[in-house]
Amino acid sequence: MDPVICTVDVVLLTLTAEGLEVALLKREHAPFKGVAALPGGYIHARTDTDARDAARRVLLDKTGIAAPYLEQLATFSGAARDPRGWSVSIAYYALVPAATIAQAERHEVRLYSVDRLPPLPFDHGDIIETAVSRLRSKSQYSSLPCHLLGEVFTLPQLQRVYEVLMGGSINKVSFRRKMTEMDMLDPVDGQFDSSGAHRPAQLYRLKPAFREQLQLLERGL
């Protein structure tokens, strides 16, 4: 009986001036050697505590990035997805600020627009599509978009991230009311952003309790 290939793949998403982008890197080995692909690798049964542990290890090994937020996405499996044989991939997605990827140790990591992807191996296109759909859906009722910003940010910057992901404008008063309702932000004492055309804006950071888990709304934005 042929063994089942068991791997993890990570959809690493970020937001740049160009929009929502995904991190890819060229595969080092066959099949599809040299083709841009998601960071992925085999599960190490002897050392990985679980699939999440494997995903964190693979992401760090392949990109040099330790994503603070990592969520299981879905399982992709079948005989046709990998030319080496019947395989199963447990896919995760992670969100990081664009600066984190720019400063990554692995310079071969490249960003691609989720709307203009290159030819991809296996079913990585389907995995990315599923991750983007999950992100945009959960952005309507959770703190998830906060992980696309840096450690500190203004409310207008946060509102823009929500608007980009949700594909439309959000009423400023309604947005700030929802942020207060979620109670997920701490103002940074004495720190303001003065880069805008208007008066300096208060800087905020995500509360420690929500850096590795989400805060949810009973009703969406």
Side-chain angles (χ1 to χ4, degrees):
M1 183 177 179
D2 294 332
V4 173
I5 300 168
C6 192
T7 62
V8 290
D9 289 298
V10 183
V11 183
L12 184 61
L13 296 167
T14 193
L15 193 64
T16 71
E18 304 301 318
L20 189 63
E21 299 191 320
V22 62
L24 303 175
L25 65 165
K26 292 183 178 180
R27 285 181 54 80
E28 297 179 350
H29 307 288
F32 306 109
K33 182 178 180 179
V35 176
L38 292 171
Y42 293 107
I43 290 176
H44 294 173
R46 293 184 178 180
T47 56
D48 292 330
T49 304
D50 51 27
R52 181 185 179 86
D53 188 37
R56 284 188 180 278
R57 172 184 55 77
V58 165
L59 185 61
L60 184 61
D61 288 349
K62 294 292 181 72
T63 69
I65 294 172
Y69 184 81
L70 186 69
E71 180 179 331
Q72 188 173 129
L73 177 65
T75 298
F76 297 81
S77 62
R81 63 179 303 273
D82 191 323
R84 293 170 293 185
W86 212 102
S87 69
V88 55
S89 172
I90 305 170
Y92 286 77
Y93 70 104
L95 309 180
V96 295
T100 298
I101 296 180
Q103 297 165 4
E105 299 174 1
R106 312 294 194 270
H107 298 293
E108 63 270 22
V109 176
R110 293 278 306 277
L111 291 177
Y112 295 84
S113 168
V114 298
D115 298 316
R116 296 184 301 277
L117 294 171
L120 297 170
F122 310 110
D123 49 4
H124 286 190
D126 293 337
I127 296 175
I128 293 172
E129 182 180 352
T130 302
V132 171
S133 177
R134 175 78 60 83
L135 170 59
R136 287 176 170 157
S137 174
K138 294 189 77 167
S139 295
Q140 300 179 42
Y141 61 88
S142 79
S143 59
L144 191 56
C146 295
H147 295 281
L148 289 167
L149 291 167
E151 182 181 354
V152 297
F153 46 83
T154 67
L155 287 179
Q157 289 169 344
L158 181 58
Q159 181 172 340
R160 175 189 170 271
V161 173
Y162 273 89
E163 289 176 336
V164 169
L165 295 179
M166 294 172 60
S169 61
I170 303 172
N171 178 270
K172 177 180 176 181
V173 174
S174 174
F175 177 77
R176 297 196 174 210
R177 184 171 59 248
K178 289 294 186 181
M179 293 302 103
T180 300
E181 179 184 336
M182 294 177 80
D183 192 29
M184 64 182 185
L185 304 178
D186 277 332
V188 183
D189 290 342
Q191 292 194 28
F192 298 83
D193 178 14
S194 57
S195 61
H198 305 289
R199 66 180 184 179
Q202 173 70 55
L203 287 170
Y204 293 84
R205 61 164 55 97
L206 196 60
K207 289 184 176 181
F210 305 120
R211 290 174 188 168
E212 293 190 11
Q213 66 180 36
L214 299 183
Q215 175 67 309
L216 306 177
L217 280 169
E218 291 185 5
R219 297 179 61 187
L221 292 169

